[in-house]
Amino acid sequence: MEKRILGNDFEVSAIGLGCMGFSHAYGAPMPEQETIQMLRYAYERGYTFFDTAEIYGTPDDPNANEWVIGKALRPVRNHVQIASKFGICFDYDSPQVNKPLISDSRPEVIRASVEGSLRRLCTDHIDLYFQHRMDPAVEPETVAEVMAELIKEGKILHWGISEANENYLRRAHAVCPVTAVQNRYSMMARHHATLFPVLEELGIGFVAFSPMANGFLTGKYGKDAVFDSKYDYRSGMPQFTPEAVDTNQELLTMLGEVAKEHQATPAQISLAWMLCKKPWIVPIPGTRKPERLWENAGAAELHLSAQEVDALDDLLDQIPMSEVFGGSRMIKKSN
C-alpha cells in the first residue's frame, strides 16, 4: 500500500485500520485469536497504521483492545505505527449501551495512562498519542507541555488531538507541534472540513474515523438490519433506522453508480473521495471481515480526479440525508 505523511515526517499506510470494533461498540468482542489473525492479515495486506485507545473494551475488560494489539503486532513492531489515546473514561454506571464519556487530562492521569498503554501494547514507545477528547478543566498548553515531556523521554514519538477545534488546536500546537487531528469525517459528516485550511497552514495531518458513517456507506445495511442492543452502538444510531434507510436511498444509489463507473465498490468510493481531497488525509475504517480489509485497502489504488471529487461534493450538497451518529455524549466529572 502507498504511504502518506502526517505532520512533518510521520509516515503511515494511506489507509489505517481502526481497531476499536474488535473489542468495543460493534457487537460482543471478537475472540482473541481471531482478532490476532485479522491484525496480522491486515499487516500482510499492507496496513501499517493501527489505531486503538486505552478505553476500547468492555466493563469486564476495559483495556482489551490494547492487550490484543500488543500481542498481535509484537512480531512486527518495528514495521508498524501504533496510535493510542488518553483522556477519557466511560460512565459505567449508565444503563445506555453507548455510555457517556468523562474527560480527564490532568498531567498525572496522562502519565498513568501512557505507562499502562506501553505495558499493554508490549512496546517502549507509542508512535502517535492522541488526546481522546478536549478536557474543559485542563488548558491545552498544560496537555501540550506533558506531550513535549513524553516525546523528550521517548515514550511517544508524535501526538495529536481527537475532536479538536481551531482555538484549542492552535494553542496546543504553539507549545508542542501537533502531528495529526483525528475527527469524524465521511460523506455524511463533513462539518470538520472547515478545519482543513488550519491544518494546511500548520502542517498537521487529518486521521478520519468513521469514514463510512459507521458502515452505512458500504450499502450493506437495509431496513432488516439487526444489531445487538447490548454491545452494538449501531442499534441506537440514527442512520440505521428504517426511516433513515429510506431517506438515504438517493445517496446510496449515487454511490453505487459512481462505483460501477470505476469498477469499484461504494465503500471504496467513499474512501477514495477523501483520499483524493488532500494528501494528508488518512482514513481508518474498521472491520471484522478479511474480505473487507482487502476491499478497503483497494481504495488506496483508486484515483479520482479533482473534477470528480468536486462533482461528488456538489451532489452531496444537494442529496437528502438523514441524521448521522455524532459521537458519545460527554458529561462532567463528579466531584
Side-chain angles (χ1 to χ4, degrees), residues 36 39-44 47-48 50 69-82 122 127:
I36 289 172
L39 288 161
R40 291 180 177 170
Y41 178 74
Y43 173 73
E44 292 169 4
Y47 293 83
T48 65
F50 297 85
I69 286 174
K71 291 179 182 179
L73 299 182
R74 190 170 188 175
V76 295
R77 179 65 186 94
N78 293 333
H79 304 286
V80 299
Q81 302 83 44
I82 297 175
C122 304
D127 299 283

mmCIF file with all atom_site columns, all heavy atoms in Angstrom, residues 36 39-44 47-48 50 69-82 122 127:
data_model
loop_
_atom_site.group_PDB
_atom_site.id
_atom_site.type_symbol
_atom_site.label_atom_id
_atom_site.label_alt_id
_atom_site.label_comp_id
_atom_site.label_asym_id
_atom_site.label_entity_id
_atom_site.label_seq_id
_atom_site.pdbx_PDB_ins_code
_atom_site.Cartn_x
_atom_site.Cartn_y
_atom_site.Cartn_z
_atom_site.occupancy
_atom_site.B_iso_or_equiv
_atom_site.pdbx_formal_charge
_atom_site.auth_seq_id
_atom_site.auth_comp_id
_atom_site.auth_asym_id
_atom_site.auth_atom_id
_atom_site.pdbx_PDB_model_num
ATOM 1   N N   . ILE A 1 36  ? -6.281 -11.521 16.512 1.00 0.00 ? 36  ILE A N   1
ATOM 2   C CA  . ILE A 1 36  ? -4.855 -11.568 16.186 1.00 0.00 ? 36  ILE A CA  1
ATOM 3   C C   . ILE A 1 36  ? -4.661 -11.954 14.724 1.00 0.00 ? 36  ILE A C   1
ATOM 4   O O   . ILE A 1 36  ? -3.852 -11.349 14.001 1.00 0.00 ? 36  ILE A O   1
ATOM 5   C CB  . ILE A 1 36  ? -4.123 -12.544 17.125 1.00 0.00 ? 36  ILE A CB  1
ATOM 6   C CG1 . ILE A 1 36  ? -4.054 -11.957 18.539 1.00 0.00 ? 36  ILE A CG1 1
ATOM 7   C CG2 . ILE A 1 36  ? -2.712 -12.861 16.600 1.00 0.00 ? 36  ILE A CG2 1
ATOM 8   C CD1 . ILE A 1 36  ? -3.513 -12.915 19.587 1.00 0.00 ? 36  ILE A CD1 1
ATOM 9   N N   . LEU A 1 39  ? -5.509 -8.925  12.524 1.00 0.00 ? 39  LEU A N   1
ATOM 10  C CA  . LEU A 1 39  ? -4.490 -7.885  12.574 1.00 0.00 ? 39  LEU A CA  1
ATOM 11  C C   . LEU A 1 39  ? -3.258 -8.282  11.763 1.00 0.00 ? 39  LEU A C   1
ATOM 12  O O   . LEU A 1 39  ? -2.681 -7.448  11.046 1.00 0.00 ? 39  LEU A O   1
ATOM 13  C CB  . LEU A 1 39  ? -4.107 -7.605  14.027 1.00 0.00 ? 39  LEU A CB  1
ATOM 14  C CG  . LEU A 1 39  ? -5.170 -6.860  14.842 1.00 0.00 ? 39  LEU A CG  1
ATOM 15  C CD1 . LEU A 1 39  ? -4.933 -7.024  16.333 1.00 0.00 ? 39  LEU A CD1 1
ATOM 16  C CD2 . LEU A 1 39  ? -5.194 -5.375  14.464 1.00 0.00 ? 39  LEU A CD2 1
ATOM 17  N N   . ARG A 1 40  ? -2.882 -9.525  11.838 1.00 0.00 ? 40  ARG A N   1
ATOM 18  C CA  . ARG A 1 40  ? -1.712 -9.971  11.064 1.00 0.00 ? 40  ARG A CA  1
ATOM 19  C C   . ARG A 1 40  ? -2.030 -10.043 9.576  1.00 0.00 ? 40  ARG A C   1
ATOM 20  O O   . ARG A 1 40  ? -1.163 -9.753  8.734  1.00 0.00 ? 40  ARG A O   1
ATOM 21  C CB  . ARG A 1 40  ? -1.228 -11.312 11.616 1.00 0.00 ? 40  ARG A CB  1
ATOM 22  C CG  . ARG A 1 40  ? -0.609 -11.139 13.015 1.00 0.00 ? 40  ARG A CG  1
ATOM 23  C CD  . ARG A 1 40  ? -0.111 -12.418 13.619 1.00 0.00 ? 40  ARG A CD  1
ATOM 24  N NE  . ARG A 1 40  ? 0.513  -12.126 14.919 1.00 0.00 ? 40  ARG A NE  1
ATOM 25  C CZ  . ARG A 1 40  ? 0.877  -13.058 15.797 1.00 0.00 ? 40  ARG A CZ  1
ATOM 26  N NH1 . ARG A 1 40  ? 0.690  -14.348 15.515 1.00 0.00 ? 40  ARG A NH1 1
ATOM 27  N NH2 . ARG A 1 40  ? 1.430  -12.710 16.940 1.00 0.00 ? 40  ARG A NH2 1
ATOM 28  N N   . TYR A 1 41  ? -3.256 -10.388 9.249  1.00 0.00 ? 41  TYR A N   1
ATOM 29  C CA  . TYR A 1 41  ? -3.671 -10.383 7.851  1.00 0.00 ? 41  TYR A CA  1
ATOM 30  C C   . TYR A 1 41  ? -3.638 -8.955  7.307  1.00 0.00 ? 41  TYR A C   1
ATOM 31  O O   . TYR A 1 41  ? -3.216 -8.718  6.162  1.00 0.00 ? 41  TYR A O   1
ATOM 32  C CB  . TYR A 1 41  ? -5.072 -10.969 7.709  1.00 0.00 ? 41  TYR A CB  1
ATOM 33  C CG  . TYR A 1 41  ? -5.603 -10.962 6.295  1.00 0.00 ? 41  TYR A CG  1
ATOM 34  C CD1 . TYR A 1 41  ? -5.120 -11.855 5.342  1.00 0.00 ? 41  TYR A CD1 1
ATOM 35  C CD2 . TYR A 1 41  ? -6.583 -10.051 5.916  1.00 0.00 ? 41  TYR A CD2 1
ATOM 36  C CE1 . TYR A 1 41  ? -5.598 -11.835 4.043  1.00 0.00 ? 41  TYR A CE1 1
ATOM 37  C CE2 . TYR A 1 41  ? -7.070 -10.024 4.614  1.00 0.00 ? 41  TYR A CE2 1
ATOM 38  C CZ  . TYR A 1 41  ? -6.580 -10.922 3.688  1.00 0.00 ? 41  TYR A CZ  1
ATOM 39  O OH  . TYR A 1 41  ? -7.058 -10.892 2.409  1.00 0.00 ? 41  TYR A OH  1
ATOM 40  N N   . ALA A 1 42  ? -4.069 -7.995  8.127  1.00 0.00 ? 42  ALA A N   1
ATOM 41  C CA  . ALA A 1 42  ? -4.038 -6.596  7.712  1.00 0.00 ? 42  ALA A CA  1
ATOM 42  C C   . ALA A 1 42  ? -2.608 -6.156  7.411  1.00 0.00 ? 42  ALA A C   1
ATOM 43  O O   . ALA A 1 42  ? -2.352 -5.477  6.406  1.00 0.00 ? 42  ALA A O   1
ATOM 44  C CB  . ALA A 1 42  ? -4.647 -5.709  8.801  1.00 0.00 ? 42  ALA A CB  1
ATOM 45  N N   . TYR A 1 43  ? -1.682 -6.550  8.256  1.00 0.00 ? 43  TYR A N   1
ATOM 46  C CA  . TYR A 1 43  ? -0.274 -6.199  8.026  1.00 0.00 ? 43  TYR A CA  1
ATOM 47  C C   . TYR A 1 43  ? 0.220  -6.806  6.716  1.00 0.00 ? 43  TYR A C   1
ATOM 48  O O   . TYR A 1 43  ? 0.904  -6.130  5.923  1.00 0.00 ? 43  TYR A O   1
ATOM 49  C CB  . TYR A 1 43  ? 0.585  -6.668  9.200  1.00 0.00 ? 43  TYR A CB  1
ATOM 50  C CG  . TYR A 1 43  ? 2.062  -6.490  8.960  1.00 0.00 ? 43  TYR A CG  1
ATOM 51  C CD1 . TYR A 1 43  ? 2.634  -5.218  8.992  1.00 0.00 ? 43  TYR A CD1 1
ATOM 52  C CD2 . TYR A 1 43  ? 2.870  -7.580  8.675  1.00 0.00 ? 43  TYR A CD2 1
ATOM 53  C CE1 . TYR A 1 43  ? 3.992  -5.045  8.744  1.00 0.00 ? 43  TYR A CE1 1
ATOM 54  C CE2 . TYR A 1 43  ? 4.227  -7.418  8.436  1.00 0.00 ? 43  TYR A CE2 1
ATOM 55  C CZ  . TYR A 1 43  ? 4.785  -6.148  8.468  1.00 0.00 ? 43  TYR A CZ  1
ATOM 56  O OH  . TYR A 1 43  ? 6.120  -5.969  8.215  1.00 0.00 ? 43  TYR A OH  1
ATOM 57  N N   . GLU A 1 44  ? -0.135 -8.045  6.469  1.00 0.00 ? 44  GLU A N   1
ATOM 58  C CA  . GLU A 1 44  ? 0.283  -8.706  5.224  1.00 0.00 ? 44  GLU A CA  1
ATOM 59  C C   . GLU A 1 44  ? -0.303 -7.994  4.006  1.00 0.00 ? 44  GLU A C   1
ATOM 60  O O   . GLU A 1 44  ? 0.308  -7.994  2.929  1.00 0.00 ? 44  GLU A O   1
ATOM 61  C CB  . GLU A 1 44  ? -0.155 -10.167 5.240  1.00 0.00 ? 44  GLU A CB  1
ATOM 62  C CG  . GLU A 1 44  ? 0.588  -11.020 6.268  1.00 0.00 ? 44  GLU A CG  1
ATOM 63  C CD  . GLU A 1 44  ? -0.029 -12.389 6.456  1.00 0.00 ? 44  GLU A CD  1
ATOM 64  O OE1 . GLU A 1 44  ? -0.998 -12.718 5.729  1.00 0.00 ? 44  GLU A OE1 1
ATOM 65  O OE2 . GLU A 1 44  ? 0.444  -13.125 7.345  1.00 0.00 ? 44  GLU A OE2 1
ATOM 66  N N   . TYR A 1 47  ? -1.385 -2.782  5.465  1.00 0.00 ? 47  TYR A N   1
ATOM 67  C CA  . TYR A 1 47  ? -1.690 -1.825  6.537  1.00 0.00 ? 47  TYR A CA  1
ATOM 68  C C   . TYR A 1 47  ? -0.498 -1.765  7.495  1.00 0.00 ? 47  TYR A C   1
ATOM 69  O O   . TYR A 1 47  ? -0.006 -2.800  7.954  1.00 0.00 ? 47  TYR A O   1
ATOM 70  C CB  . TYR A 1 47  ? -2.905 -2.274  7.336  1.00 0.00 ? 47  TYR A CB  1
ATOM 71  C CG  . TYR A 1 47  ? -4.230 -2.264  6.622  1.00 0.00 ? 47  TYR A CG  1
ATOM 72  C CD1 . TYR A 1 47  ? -4.624 -3.330  5.812  1.00 0.00 ? 47  TYR A CD1 1
ATOM 73  C CD2 . TYR A 1 47  ? -5.131 -1.203  6.781  1.00 0.00 ? 47  TYR A CD2 1
ATOM 74  C CE1 . TYR A 1 47  ? -5.859 -3.344  5.181  1.00 0.00 ? 47  TYR A CE1 1
ATOM 75  C CE2 . TYR A 1 47  ? -6.365 -1.207  6.144  1.00 0.00 ? 47  TYR A CE2 1
ATOM 76  C CZ  . TYR A 1 47  ? -6.725 -2.279  5.349  1.00 0.00 ? 47  TYR A CZ  1
ATOM 77  O OH  . TYR A 1 47  ? -7.947 -2.287  4.718  1.00 0.00 ? 47  TYR A OH  1
ATOM 78  N N   . THR A 1 48  ? -0.047 -0.560  7.804  1.00 0.00 ? 48  THR A N   1
ATOM 79  C CA  . THR A 1 48  ? 0.999  -0.418  8.832  1.00 0.00 ? 48  THR A CA  1
ATOM 80  C C   . THR A 1 48  ? 0.558  0.491   9.969  1.00 0.00 ? 48  THR A C   1
ATOM 81  O O   . THR A 1 48  ? 1.244  0.581   10.985 1.00 0.00 ? 48  THR A O   1
ATOM 82  C CB  . THR A 1 48  ? 2.308  0.147   8.238  1.00 0.00 ? 48  THR A CB  1
ATOM 83  O OG1 . THR A 1 48  ? 2.081  1.491   7.769  1.00 0.00 ? 48  THR A OG1 1
ATOM 84  C CG2 . THR A 1 48  ? 2.813  -0.735  7.098  1.00 0.00 ? 48  THR A CG2 1
ATOM 85  N N   . PHE A 1 50  ? -2.131 1.347   12.826 1.00 0.00 ? 50  PHE A N   1
ATOM 86  C CA  . PHE A 1 50  ? -3.171 0.697   13.625 1.00 0.00 ? 50  PHE A CA  1
ATOM 87  C C   . PHE A 1 50  ? -3.591 1.634   14.757 1.00 0.00 ? 50  PHE A C   1
ATOM 88  O O   . PHE A 1 50  ? -2.761 2.092   15.526 1.00 0.00 ? 50  PHE A O   1
ATOM 89  C CB  . PHE A 1 50  ? -2.651 -0.627  14.190 1.00 0.00 ? 50  PHE A CB  1
ATOM 90  C CG  . PHE A 1 50  ? -2.304 -1.624  13.122 1.00 0.00 ? 50  PHE A CG  1
ATOM 91  C CD1 . PHE A 1 50  ? -1.053 -1.608  12.502 1.00 0.00 ? 50  PHE A CD1 1
ATOM 92  C CD2 . PHE A 1 50  ? -3.228 -2.588  12.730 1.00 0.00 ? 50  PHE A CD2 1
ATOM 93  C CE1 . PHE A 1 50  ? -0.741 -2.519  11.509 1.00 0.00 ? 50  PHE A CE1 1
ATOM 94  C CE2 . PHE A 1 50  ? -2.918 -3.514  11.743 1.00 0.00 ? 50  PHE A CE2 1
ATOM 95  C CZ  . PHE A 1 50  ? -1.687 -3.476  11.126 1.00 0.00 ? 50  PHE A CZ  1
ATOM 96  N N   . ILE A 1 69  ? -3.852 -5.975  20.570 1.00 0.00 ? 69  ILE A N   1
ATOM 97  C CA  . ILE A 1 69  ? -2.977 -5.358  19.571 1.00 0.00 ? 69  ILE A CA  1
ATOM 98  C C   . ILE A 1 69  ? -1.514 -5.567  19.943 1.00 0.00 ? 69  ILE A C   1
ATOM 99  O O   . ILE A 1 69  ? -0.672 -5.858  19.087 1.00 0.00 ? 69  ILE A O   1
ATOM 100 C CB  . ILE A 1 69  ? -3.317 -3.866  19.414 1.00 0.00 ? 69  ILE A CB  1
ATOM 101 C CG1 . ILE A 1 69  ? -4.630 -3.724  18.638 1.00 0.00 ? 69  ILE A CG1 1
ATOM 102 C CG2 . ILE A 1 69  ? -2.201 -3.109  18.692 1.00 0.00 ? 69  ILE A CG2 1
ATOM 103 C CD1 . ILE A 1 69  ? -5.140 -2.327  18.556 1.00 0.00 ? 69  ILE A CD1 1
ATOM 104 N N   . GLY A 1 70  ? -1.206 -5.442  21.231 1.00 0.00 ? 70  GLY A N   1
ATOM 105 C CA  . GLY A 1 70  ? 0.157  -5.694  21.668 1.00 0.00 ? 70  GLY A CA  1
ATOM 106 C C   . GLY A 1 70  ? 0.623  -7.095  21.327 1.00 0.00 ? 70  GLY A C   1
ATOM 107 O O   . GLY A 1 70  ? 1.745  -7.299  20.837 1.00 0.00 ? 70  GLY A O   1
ATOM 108 N N   . LYS A 1 71  ? -0.237 -8.081  21.554 1.00 0.00 ? 71  LYS A N   1
ATOM 109 C CA  . LYS A 1 71  ? 0.121  -9.469  21.242 1.00 0.00 ? 71  LYS A CA  1
ATOM 110 C C   . LYS A 1 71  ? 0.261  -9.688  19.738 1.00 0.00 ? 71  LYS A C   1
ATOM 111 O O   . LYS A 1 71  ? 1.200  -10.342 19.274 1.00 0.00 ? 71  LYS A O   1
ATOM 112 C CB  . LYS A 1 71  ? -0.942 -10.414 21.804 1.00 0.00 ? 71  LYS A CB  1
ATOM 113 C CG  . LYS A 1 71  ? -0.982 -10.502 23.314 1.00 0.00 ? 71  LYS A CG  1
ATOM 114 C CD  . LYS A 1 71  ? -2.084 -11.455 23.781 1.00 0.00 ? 71  LYS A CD  1
ATOM 115 C CE  . LYS A 1 71  ? -2.160 -11.509 25.292 1.00 0.00 ? 71  LYS A CE  1
ATOM 116 N NZ  . LYS A 1 71  ? -3.250 -12.407 25.772 1.00 0.00 ? 71  LYS A NZ  1
ATOM 117 N N   . ALA A 1 72  ? -0.682 -9.140  18.978 1.00 0.00 ? 72  ALA A N   1
ATOM 118 C CA  . ALA A 1 72  ? -0.709 -9.396  17.543 1.00 0.00 ? 72  ALA A CA  1
ATOM 119 C C   . ALA A 1 72  ? 0.459  -8.755  16.803 1.00 0.00 ? 72  ALA A C   1
ATOM 120 O O   . ALA A 1 72  ? 1.038  -9.351  15.887 1.00 0.00 ? 72  ALA A O   1
ATOM 121 C CB  . ALA A 1 72  ? -2.026 -8.907  16.958 1.00 0.00 ? 72  ALA A CB  1
ATOM 122 N N   . LEU A 1 73  ? 0.799  -7.535  17.187 1.00 0.00 ? 73  LEU A N   1
ATOM 123 C CA  . LEU A 1 73  ? 1.792  -6.780  16.421 1.00 0.00 ? 73  LEU A CA  1
ATOM 124 C C   . LEU A 1 73  ? 3.210  -6.866  16.975 1.00 0.00 ? 73  LEU A C   1
ATOM 125 O O   . LEU A 1 73  ? 4.144  -6.347  16.360 1.00 0.00 ? 73  LEU A O   1
ATOM 126 C CB  . LEU A 1 73  ? 1.361  -5.310  16.335 1.00 0.00 ? 73  LEU A CB  1
ATOM 127 C CG  . LEU A 1 73  ? 0.010  -5.050  15.637 1.00 0.00 ? 73  LEU A CG  1
ATOM 128 C CD1 . LEU A 1 73  ? -0.267 -3.554  15.578 1.00 0.00 ? 73  LEU A CD1 1
ATOM 129 C CD2 . LEU A 1 73  ? -0.008 -5.653  14.234 1.00 0.00 ? 73  LEU A CD2 1
ATOM 130 N N   . ARG A 1 74  ? 3.362  -7.530  18.091 1.00 0.00 ? 74  ARG A N   1
ATOM 131 C CA  . ARG A 1 74  ? 4.705  -7.618  18.681 1.00 0.00 ? 74  ARG A CA  1
ATOM 132 C C   . ARG A 1 74  ? 5.746  -8.182  17.715 1.00 0.00 ? 74  ARG A C   1
ATOM 133 O O   . ARG A 1 74  ? 6.862  -7.652  17.633 1.00 0.00 ? 74  ARG A O   1
ATOM 134 C CB  . ARG A 1 74  ? 4.649  -8.475  19.953 1.00 0.00 ? 74  ARG A CB  1
ATOM 135 C CG  . ARG A 1 74  ? 5.926  -8.419  20.770 1.00 0.00 ? 74  ARG A CG  1
ATOM 136 C CD  . ARG A 1 74  ? 5.744  -9.080  22.122 1.00 0.00 ? 74  ARG A CD  1
ATOM 137 N NE  . ARG A 1 74  ? 6.887  -8.878  22.991 1.00 0.00 ? 74  ARG A NE  1
ATOM 138 C CZ  . ARG A 1 74  ? 6.948  -9.260  24.253 1.00 0.00 ? 74  ARG A CZ  1
ATOM 139 N NH1 . ARG A 1 74  ? 5.901  -9.881  24.805 1.00 0.00 ? 74  ARG A NH1 1
ATOM 140 N NH2 . ARG A 1 74  ? 8.028  -9.035  24.977 1.00 0.00 ? 74  ARG A NH2 1
ATOM 141 N N   . PRO A 1 75  ? 5.433  -9.217  16.913 1.00 0.00 ? 75  PRO A N   1
ATOM 142 C CA  . PRO A 1 75  ? 6.452  -9.745  15.998 1.00 0.00 ? 75  PRO A CA  1
ATOM 143 C C   . PRO A 1 75  ? 6.860  -8.768  14.894 1.00 0.00 ? 75  PRO A C   1
ATOM 144 O O   . PRO A 1 75  ? 7.929  -8.931  14.302 1.00 0.00 ? 75  PRO A O   1
ATOM 145 C CB  . PRO A 1 75  ? 5.778  -10.993 15.403 1.00 0.00 ? 75  PRO A CB  1
ATOM 146 C CG  . PRO A 1 75  ? 4.719  -11.371 16.384 1.00 0.00 ? 75  PRO A CG  1
ATOM 147 C CD  . PRO A 1 75  ? 4.221  -10.070 16.930 1.00 0.00 ? 75  PRO A CD  1
ATOM 148 N N   . VAL A 1 76  ? 6.009  -7.769  14.606 1.00 0.00 ? 76  VAL A N   1
ATOM 149 C CA  . VAL A 1 76  ? 6.315  -6.825  13.523 1.00 0.00 ? 76  VAL A CA  1
ATOM 150 C C   . VAL A 1 76  ? 6.372  -5.395  14.049 1.00 0.00 ? 76  VAL A C   1
ATOM 151 O O   . VAL A 1 76  ? 6.229  -4.440  13.283 1.00 0.00 ? 76  VAL A O   1
ATOM 152 C CB  . VAL A 1 76  ? 5.270  -6.937  12.386 1.00 0.00 ? 76  VAL A CB  1
ATOM 153 C CG1 . VAL A 1 76  ? 5.355  -8.299  11.724 1.00 0.00 ? 76  VAL A CG1 1
ATOM 154 C CG2 . VAL A 1 76  ? 3.844  -6.678  12.900 1.00 0.00 ? 76  VAL A CG2 1
ATOM 155 N N   . ARG A 1 77  ? 6.615  -5.255  15.325 1.00 0.00 ? 77  ARG A N   1
ATOM 156 C CA  . ARG A 1 77  ? 6.510  -3.931  15.965 1.00 0.00 ? 77  ARG A CA  1
ATOM 157 C C   . ARG A 1 77  ? 7.359  -2.876  15.268 1.00 0.00 ? 77  ARG A C   1
ATOM 158 O O   . ARG A 1 77  ? 6.947  -1.715  15.157 1.00 0.00 ? 77  ARG A O   1
ATOM 159 C CB  . ARG A 1 77  ? 6.915  -4.024  17.446 1.00 0.00 ? 77  ARG A CB  1
ATOM 160 C CG  . ARG A 1 77  ? 6.861  -2.660  18.170 1.00 0.00 ? 77  ARG A CG  1
ATOM 161 C CD  . ARG A 1 77  ? 5.440  -2.138  18.235 1.00 0.00 ? 77  ARG A CD  1
ATOM 162 N NE  . ARG A 1 77  ? 5.344  -0.783  18.784 1.00 0.00 ? 77  ARG A NE  1
ATOM 163 C CZ  . ARG A 1 77  ? 5.322  0.328   18.057 1.00 0.00 ? 77  ARG A CZ  1
ATOM 164 N NH1 . ARG A 1 77  ? 5.414  0.259   16.735 1.00 0.00 ? 77  ARG A NH1 1
ATOM 165 N NH2 . ARG A 1 77  ? 5.204  1.509   18.624 1.00 0.00 ? 77  ARG A NH2 1
ATOM 166 N N   . ASN A 1 78  ? 8.523  -3.228  14.770 1.00 0.00 ? 78  ASN A N   1
ATOM 167 C CA  . ASN A 1 78  ? 9.399  -2.241  14.155 1.00 0.00 ? 78  ASN A CA  1
ATOM 168 C C   . ASN A 1 78  ? 8.955  -1.835  12.757 1.00 0.00 ? 78  ASN A C   1
ATOM 169 O O   . ASN A 1 78  ? 9.564  -0.950  12.140 1.00 0.00 ? 78  ASN A O   1
ATOM 170 C CB  . ASN A 1 78  ? 10.836 -2.772  14.092 1.00 0.00 ? 78  ASN A CB  1
ATOM 171 C CG  . ASN A 1 78  ? 11.450 -2.925  15.473 1.00 0.00 ? 78  ASN A CG  1
ATOM 172 O OD1 . ASN A 1 78  ? 11.064 -2.224  16.415 1.00 0.00 ? 78  ASN A OD1 1
ATOM 173 N ND2 . ASN A 1 78  ? 12.399 -3.838  15.610 1.00 0.00 ? 78  ASN A ND2 1
ATOM 174 N N   . HIS A 1 79  ? 7.909  -2.468  12.244 1.00 0.00 ? 79  HIS A N   1
ATOM 175 C CA  . HIS A 1 79  ? 7.446  -2.188  10.886 1.00 0.00 ? 79  HIS A CA  1
ATOM 176 C C   . HIS A 1 79  ? 6.056  -1.558  10.854 1.00 0.00 ? 79  HIS A C   1
ATOM 177 O O   . HIS A 1 79  ? 5.506  -1.352  9.763  1.00 0.00 ? 79  HIS A O   1
ATOM 178 C CB  . HIS A 1 79  ? 7.429  -3.483  10.068 1.00 0.00 ? 79  HIS A CB  1
ATOM 179 C CG  . HIS A 1 79  ? 8.745  -4.182  10.046 1.00 0.00 ? 79  HIS A CG  1
ATOM 180 N ND1 . HIS A 1 79  ? 9.824  -3.739  9.303  1.00 0.00 ? 79  HIS A ND1 1
ATOM 181 C CD2 . HIS A 1 79  ? 9.178  -5.294  10.698 1.00 0.00 ? 79  HIS A CD2 1
ATOM 182 C CE1 . HIS A 1 79  ? 10.857 -4.546  9.485  1.00 0.00 ? 79  HIS A CE1 1
ATOM 183 N NE2 . HIS A 1 79  ? 10.490 -5.495  10.330 1.00 0.00 ? 79  HIS A NE2 1
ATOM 184 N N   . VAL A 1 80  ? 5.485  -1.267  12.025 1.00 0.00 ? 80  VAL A N   1
ATOM 185 C CA  . VAL A 1 80  ? 4.138  -0.699  12.083 1.00 0.00 ? 80  VAL A CA  1
ATOM 186 C C   . VAL A 1 80  ? 4.135  0.558   12.944 1.00 0.00 ? 80  VAL A C   1
ATOM 187 O O   . VAL A 1 80  ? 5.075  0.809   13.702 1.00 0.00 ? 80  VAL A O   1
ATOM 188 C CB  . VAL A 1 80  ? 3.123  -1.718  12.648 1.00 0.00 ? 80  VAL A CB  1
ATOM 189 C CG1 . VAL A 1 80  ? 3.047  -2.950  11.760 1.00 0.00 ? 80  VAL A CG1 1
ATOM 190 C CG2 . VAL A 1 80  ? 3.460  -2.102  14.094 1.00 0.00 ? 80  VAL A CG2 1
ATOM 191 N N   . GLN A 1 81  ? 3.058  1.330   12.781 1.00 0.00 ? 81  GLN A N   1
ATOM 192 C CA  . GLN A 1 81  ? 2.862  2.529   13.589 1.00 0.00 ? 81  GLN A CA  1
ATOM 193 C C   . GLN A 1 81  ? 1.575  2.343   14.394 1.00 0.00 ? 81  GLN A C   1
ATOM 194 O O   . GLN A 1 81  ? 0.526  2.027   13.820 1.00 0.00 ? 81  GLN A O   1
ATOM 195 C CB  . GLN A 1 81  ? 2.747  3.786   12.720 1.00 0.00 ? 81  GLN A CB  1
ATOM 196 C CG  . GLN A 1 81  ? 3.964  4.030   11.824 1.00 0.00 ? 81  GLN A CG  1
ATOM 197 C CD  . GLN A 1 81  ? 3.884  3.219   10.532 1.00 0.00 ? 81  GLN A CD  1
ATOM 198 O OE1 . GLN A 1 81  ? 2.840  3.148   9.894  1.00 0.00 ? 81  GLN A OE1 1
ATOM 199 N NE2 . GLN A 1 81  ? 4.993  2.594   10.153 1.00 0.00 ? 81  GLN A NE2 1
ATOM 200 N N   . ILE A 1 82  ? 1.679  2.523   15.691 1.00 0.00 ? 82  ILE A N   1
ATOM 201 C CA  . ILE A 1 82  ? 0.529  2.345   16.577 1.00 0.00 ? 82  ILE A CA  1
ATOM 202 C C   . ILE A 1 82  ? 0.108  3.698   17.153 1.00 0.00 ? 82  ILE A C   1
ATOM 203 O O   . ILE A 1 82  ? 0.935  4.446   17.676 1.00 0.00 ? 82  ILE A O   1
ATOM 204 C CB  . ILE A 1 82  ? 0.856  1.378   17.728 1.00 0.00 ? 82  ILE A CB  1
ATOM 205 C CG1 . ILE A 1 82  ? 1.166  -0.031  17.168 1.00 0.00 ? 82  ILE A CG1 1
ATOM 206 C CG2 . ILE A 1 82  ? -0.294 1.307   18.724 1.00 0.00 ? 82  ILE A CG2 1
ATOM 207 C CD1 . ILE A 1 82  ? 1.620  -1.018  18.222 1.00 0.00 ? 82  ILE A CD1 1
ATOM 208 N N   . CYS A 1 122 ? 2.946  -3.798  24.639 1.00 0.00 ? 122 CYS A N   1
ATOM 209 C CA  . CYS A 1 122 ? 4.227  -4.532  24.550 1.00 0.00 ? 122 CYS A CA  1
ATOM 210 C C   . CYS A 1 122 ? 5.269  -3.726  23.774 1.00 0.00 ? 122 CYS A C   1
ATOM 211 O O   . CYS A 1 122 ? 5.955  -4.248  22.878 1.00 0.00 ? 122 CYS A O   1
ATOM 212 C CB  . CYS A 1 122 ? 4.030  -5.890  23.876 1.00 0.00 ? 122 CYS A CB  1
ATOM 213 S SG  . CYS A 1 122 ? 2.812  -6.954  24.656 1.00 0.00 ? 122 CYS A SG  1
ATOM 214 N N   . ASP A 1 127 ? 3.720  5.462   18.794 1.00 0.00 ? 127 ASP A N   1
ATOM 215 C CA  . ASP A 1 127 ? 4.087  6.283   17.640 1.00 0.00 ? 127 ASP A CA  1
ATOM 216 C C   . ASP A 1 127 ? 3.285  7.584   17.567 1.00 0.00 ? 127 ASP A C   1
ATOM 217 O O   . ASP A 1 127 ? 3.827  8.629   17.212 1.00 0.00 ? 127 ASP A O   1
ATOM 218 C CB  . ASP A 1 127 ? 3.885  5.477   16.350 1.00 0.00 ? 127 ASP A CB  1
ATOM 219 C CG  . ASP A 1 127 ? 4.754  4.238   16.324 1.00 0.00 ? 127 ASP A CG  1
ATOM 220 O OD1 . ASP A 1 127 ? 5.960  4.364   16.063 1.00 0.00 ? 127 ASP A OD1 1
ATOM 221 O OD2 . ASP A 1 127 ? 4.233  3.145   16.599 1.00 0.00 ? 127 ASP A OD2 1
#
